[in-house]
């Protein structure tokens, strides 16, 4: 039996949260505003999106940039750490394209 690495387990606890992978995929395109993220993920509630963005920010996977204009402009951008997971998510996409049937 293989012993699981605690870091692997920790990574899947974060990435396994609903919407996290999808939010990261949306942010791959570059700096994105909250409403733009919400538009691309229509099934996520604003409350859940806010919570997941905070989770990712706390994990240093995204950066929240506030521009002091009127109105205030807030954008979200993947950090180096957040960008580093995108090749793995692209591989998951390849696997899904081949093996996951849409319900």
């Amino acid at each position: 039996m293989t012993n699981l690495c605690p870091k692997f387990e920790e990574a899947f606890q974060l990435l396994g949260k609903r919407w996290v992978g999808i939010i990261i995929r949306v942010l791959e395109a570059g700096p994105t505003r909250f409403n733009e993220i919400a538009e691309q993920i229509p099934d996520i509630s604003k409350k859940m999106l806010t919570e997941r963005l905070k989770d990712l920010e706390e994990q240093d996977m995204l950066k929240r940039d506030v521009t002091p204009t009127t109105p205030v402009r807030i954008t979200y951008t993947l950090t180096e750490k957040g960008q580093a997971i995108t090749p793995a998510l692209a591989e998951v996409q390849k696997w899904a394209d081949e093996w996951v049937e849409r319900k």
Side-chain angles (χ1 to χ4, degrees):
M1 182 172 177
T2 304
N3 289 334
L4 289 179
C5 171
K7 286 185 174 186
F8 182 85
E9 187 176 342
E10 193 77 23
F12 263 87
Q13 285 180 4
L14 171 65
L15 296 172
K17 287 183 180 178
R18 188 162 189 200
W19 306 113
V20 166
I22 297 168
I23 292 168
I24 293 170
R25 293 286 285 179
V26 168
L27 292 175
E28 281 184 78
T32 311
R33 296 181 74 176
F34 183 93
N35 286 334
E36 294 169 332
I37 299 167
E39 285 172 16
Q40 292 187 53
I41 312 172
D43 293 337
I44 193 170
S45 70
K46 304 250 188 219
K47 180 181 176 187
M48 180 60 69
L49 179 55
T50 299
E51 187 177 310
R52 291 299 180 249
L53 289 169
K54 283 181 183 173
D55 289 344
L56 289 166
E57 187 176 11
E58 286 171 4
Q59 292 295 321
D60 192 34
M61 294 188 71
L62 68 78
K63 188 172 103 178
R64 182 177 182 265
D65 293 307
V66 179
T67 306
T69 57
T70 306
V72 172
R73 181 178 173 88
I74 299 170
T75 56
Y76 297 89
T77 310
L78 290 177
T79 62
E80 183 180 354
K81 182 178 177 181
Q83 290 172 357
I85 193 67
T86 61
L89 295 179
E91 289 300 315
V92 171
Q93 180 66 61
K94 283 187 203 173
W95 177 85
D97 289 343
E98 184 170 344
W99 295 102
V100 176
E101 291 186 29
R102 199 140 191 240
K103 296 177 184 177

